């Protein structure tokens, strides 16, 4: 693992030119937003206008469009409210405890008791297409719109609207007056066009999970109390008029004492979201990172916050440098870390995180959310359907990054991903696992969703390294980023990239590990030693096939290894332990439940035989992976 960390740090830092998705016939829609918003910081209500130039790059003629009205989720009786009542393990941040008449402590959705001045909402009026009034209908968190004129392939149309909204009392991710006292966490706050892609419309209701958005450009003006500092998506265009820490060095910004509000003007090119946070007690620090990227930090002026947020800043510089080298260069010139929200959540060019944390926790959550810039805000998978690609890939690479920048030393016998594997094994043992292809909203409980998306999703990468080797895996990550950035890649795109890089056939791997709940379980069934010849019989107990690395350790501590190819791969992996002599055996066809091989011990006595000494193969029962078995 030490060598792996060295490899990640030393790999090429060359800048890849931006490319369109290389898949023949690929297309994606485009949205160009222009919004003017006026926020009342006393009532937390806001009004706005929106002009949206929408380009239909699809081969379809569109007769309808759909907008997300995410803030409508924060109302009694919403789908989000209903789901909190129905799910067995509701998010602790979204429920409150109360004593029932029978004396039992029960949980209730925080949304259920919201008063009219506490709820969230978005209301659209005066909606037009190219100046013609449109018919529309609000269904929960979705606005269904019938077009006045069908939108033909390859053409654009302009939608205009007025809207008003109210930031809800903080329940989940967005809203006002967080537990740490941040005034405004404005995420998913505007009428947002739903995504239409090769699968059709993705006008999912907001129940509390993930998002999918249209690539585009944002031009946003926010008018707010002049004492409030804003951090968020985009580049501030009038920084020397606004000040608040954005102004150029040497510039002194003075505001008219009679002026009650300031209008902040942001431009955000080539993103699929726009978020911001604001508070009247933010400290704003600016640090220059790799490639002159401006790193902005917004945090409350509290003694228990300031010290750690100052220490966070050089670590964030190191994190950005790490991800640039491990995946590909960050393409924007700004990134903001903002105290707000209810945990940690990624948005375009920024993140909102809770700030009253220990330093290791603060660095860890920043690493995770920053890594999301690559795996979601540049490689924009549909995270409602493929949440494991978003959360899993991010968990994998951010864990590596933290390990590196916190200067932790991995011991040779340590497994740096042990907790991820333990979570996955727990879920399998508990029962009720659902395939990774399950829509994020359809998981039966939050625990299975969390383990599936974060832990099993990360294992998809670490186990891929077992299958095709670490070198090929990191080459795959870099090529995947280079080929698919600024588009909407799918699981198959990643799989095909790994195949192109390695030469292995990997469809079986994607199918079994993500589209089913098939498990991996191999065992050493018997070992017979006779006159210097040893016969080993292995058994496949689980449904999912794998190639096998077998390590033989002799009593004199010498070693040799054997590799059993998986026939479905039509490929042989390089020796992961080049210092150990390896013999490549005949492939193991999946239909056969047992496999045997023999070898000459040359008079040596066997101390141990081990299946997968790396422990990167997610074998759900490892007791039988070692001979002789260790007493449990």
């Amino acid at each position: 693992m030490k060598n792996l960390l060295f490899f990640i740090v030393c790999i090429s830092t060359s800048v890849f030119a931006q490319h369109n998705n290389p898949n023949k016939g690929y297309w994606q829609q485009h949205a160009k937003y222009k919004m003017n918003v006026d926020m009342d910081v006393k009532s937390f209500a806001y009004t706005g206008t929106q002009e949206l130039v929408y380009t239909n790059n699809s081969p379809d003629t569109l007769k309808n469009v759909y907008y997300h009205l995410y803030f409508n989720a924060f109302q009694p009786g919403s789908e989000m409210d209903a789901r909190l009542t129905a799910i067995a393990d509701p998010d602790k941040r979204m429920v409150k405890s109360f004593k029932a008449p029978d004396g039992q402590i029960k949980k209730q959705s925080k949304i259920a008791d919201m008063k009219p001045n506490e709820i969230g909402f978005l209301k659209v009026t005066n909606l037009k297409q190219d100046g013609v009034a449109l018919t529309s209908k609000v269904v929960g968190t979705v606005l269904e719109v019938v077009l006045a004129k069908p939108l033909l392939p390859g053409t654009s149309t302009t939608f205009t609207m007025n809207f008003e909204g109210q930031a809800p009392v903080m329940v989940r991710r967005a809203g006002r007056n967080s537990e740490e006292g941040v005034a405004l966490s404005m995420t998913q706050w505007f009428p947002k066009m739903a995504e239409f892609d090769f699968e059709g419309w993705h006008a999912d209701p907001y129940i509390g999970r993930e998002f999918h958005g249209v690539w585009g450009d944002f031009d946003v003006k926010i008018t707010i109390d002049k004492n409030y500092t804003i951090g968020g998506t985009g580049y501030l265009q009038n920084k020397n008029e606004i000040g608040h820490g954005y102004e150029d060095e040497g510039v002194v910004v003075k505001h008219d004492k009679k002026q009650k509000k300031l209008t902040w003007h942001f431009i955000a090119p080539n993103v699929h979201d726009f978020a911001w946070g604001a508070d009247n007690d933010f400290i704003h620090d600016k640090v220059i990172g790799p490639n002159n990227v401006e790193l902005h930090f917004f945090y409350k002026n509290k003694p228990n916050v300031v010290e750690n947020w100052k220490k966070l800043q050089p670590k964030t510089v190191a994190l950005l440098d790490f991800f640039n080298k491990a995946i590909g260069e960050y393409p924007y010139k700004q990134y903001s870390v903002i105290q707000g929200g209810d945990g940690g959540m990624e948005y375009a060019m920024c993140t909102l995180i809770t700030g009253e944390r220990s330093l290791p926790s603060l660095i860890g959550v920043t690493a995770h959310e920053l890594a999301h810039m690559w795996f979601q805000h540049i490689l924009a998978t549909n995270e409602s359907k493929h949440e494991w690609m978003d959360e899993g890939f991010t968990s994998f690479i951010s864990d590596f990054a933290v390990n590196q920048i916190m200067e932790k030393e991995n011991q040779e016998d340590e497994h740096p991903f042990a907790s991820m594997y333990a979570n996955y094994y727990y879920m399998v043992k508990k029962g009720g696992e659902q395939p990774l292809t399950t829509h994020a909203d359809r998981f039966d409980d939050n625990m299975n969703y969390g383990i599936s998306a974060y832990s099993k999703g990360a294992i998809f990468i670490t186990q891929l390294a077992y299958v095709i080797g670490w070198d090929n895996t990191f080459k795959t990550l870099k090529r995947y980023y280079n080929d698919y950035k600024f588009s909407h890649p799918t699981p198959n795109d990643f799989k095909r990239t790994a195949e192109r890089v390695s030469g292995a056939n990997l469809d079986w791997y994607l199918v079994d590990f993500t589209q089913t709940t098939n498990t991996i379980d191999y065992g050493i069934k018997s070992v017979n030693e006779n006159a210097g010849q040893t016969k080993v019989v292995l058994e496949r107990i689980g449904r999912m096939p794998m190639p096998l690395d077998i390590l033989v350790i002799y009593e004199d501590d010498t070693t040799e290894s054997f590799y059993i190819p998986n026939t479905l791969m039509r490929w042989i992996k390089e020796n992961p332990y080049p210092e150990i002599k390896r013999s490549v055996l005949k492939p193991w066809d999946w239909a056969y439940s047992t496999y045997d091989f023999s070898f000459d011990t040359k008079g040596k006595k066997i101390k141990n035989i081990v299946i997968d000494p790396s422990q990167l193969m997610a074998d759900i029962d490892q007791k039988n992976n070692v001979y002789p078995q260790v007493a449990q």
Side-chain angles (χ1 to χ4, degrees), residues 95-157:
V95 294
K96 56 186 177 182
S97 300
F98 69 97
K99 182 179 272 190
D102 60 4
Q104 302 229 346
I105 302 297
K106 296 190 176 181
K107 296 188 182 299
Q108 179 183 0
S109 160
K110 287 182 179 179
I111 298 174
D113 291 337
M114 279 185 163
K115 300 178 178 62
N117 67 339
E118 296 175 329
I119 66 171
F121 64 75
L122 272 171
K123 297 178 181 178
V124 173
T125 58
N126 199 27
L127 177 61
K128 296 180 179 179
Q129 177 192 6
D130 298 327
V132 179
L134 295 176
T135 300
S136 63
K137 179 175 65 173
V138 176
V139 180
T141 61
V142 175
L143 180 69
E144 301 177 351
V145 182
V146 179
L147 297 187
K149 181 181 179 180
L151 185 57
L152 300 177
T155 64
S156 299
T157 194

Side-chain angles (χ1 to χ4, degrees), residues 114-305:
M114 279 185 163
K115 300 178 178 62
N117 67 339
E118 296 175 329
I119 66 171
F121 64 75
L122 272 171
K123 297 178 181 178
V124 173
T125 58
N126 199 27
L127 177 61
K128 296 180 179 179
Q129 177 192 6
D130 298 327
V132 179
L134 295 176
T135 300
S136 63
K137 179 175 65 173
V138 176
V139 180
T141 61
V142 175
L143 180 69
E144 301 177 351
V145 182
V146 179
L147 297 187
K149 181 181 179 180
L151 185 57
L152 300 177
T155 64
S156 299
T157 194
T158 300
F159 298 104
T160 56
M161 69 168 69
N162 298 91
F163 65 92
E164 58 179 302
Q166 180 171 281
V169 170
M170 175 69 71
V171 174
R172 184 71 178 100
R173 290 177 175 152
R176 71 207 206 210
N177 298 331
S178 73
E179 287 190 358
E180 296 182 347
V182 176
L184 289 165
S185 299
M186 298 297 288
T187 63
Q188 311 300 337
W189 58 276
F190 61 95
K192 182 179 179 182
M193 182 66 73
E195 175 67 297
F196 180 82
D197 62 17
F198 72 101
E199 294 176 312
W201 283 104
H202 297 278
D204 293 335
Y206 184 34
I207 299 176
R209 289 274 190 239
E210 309 295 350
F211 307 104
H212 191 33
V214 186
W215 280 106
D217 305 309
F218 287 78
D219 182 331
V220 181
K221 291 181 179 178
I222 302 168
T223 301
I224 194 170
D225 184 301
K226 68 178 181 181
N227 295 312
Y228 279 64
T229 301
I230 296 178
T233 304
Y235 307 111
L236 183 62
Q237 300 300 290
N238 54 340
K239 59 184 178 180
N240 289 334
E241 298 171 21
I242 294 293
H244 285 267
Y246 282 97
E247 64 272 18
D248 292 326
E249 188 175 350
V251 173
V252 177
V253 180
K254 292 184 179 180
H255 300 127
D256 187 338
K257 291 182 179 179
K258 296 180 181 179
Q259 188 177 10
K260 293 183 178 180
K261 290 187 173 184
L262 295 175
T263 297
W264 302 58
H265 183 197
F266 294 94
I267 297 289
N270 209 17
V271 295
H272 54 86
D273 198 7
F274 189 101
W276 53 284
D279 194 85
N280 61 351
D281 192 32
F282 267 159
I283 294 174
H284 175 199
D285 293 333
K286 181 170 65 176
V287 177
I288 303 301
N291 302 324
N292 291 315
V293 171
E294 289 185 0
L295 296 170
H296 295 257
F297 299 85
F298 302 87
Y299 52 96
K300 296 285 283 186
N301 189 9
K302 293 182 180 180
N304 64 329
V305 172

Side-chain angles (χ1 to χ4, degrees), residues 83-98:
R83 185 60 177 152
L84 286 169
T85 302
I87 198 166
D89 59 340
D91 190 318
K92 294 178 181 178
R93 293 166 292 192
M94 302 173 72
V95 294
K96 56 186 177 182
S97 300
F98 69 97

Side-chain angles (χ1 to χ4, degrees), residues 10 26 61 125 139 162 174 220 235 298 304 392 395 400 407 469 494 511 554 592 605:
C10 293
Y26 174 82
T61 296
T125 58
V139 180
N162 298 91
V220 181
Y235 307 111
F298 302 87
N304 64 329
S395 297
F400 259 117
E407 300 175 348
F494 184 81
V511 169
Y554 295 102
Y592 299 97
K605 290 192 174 182

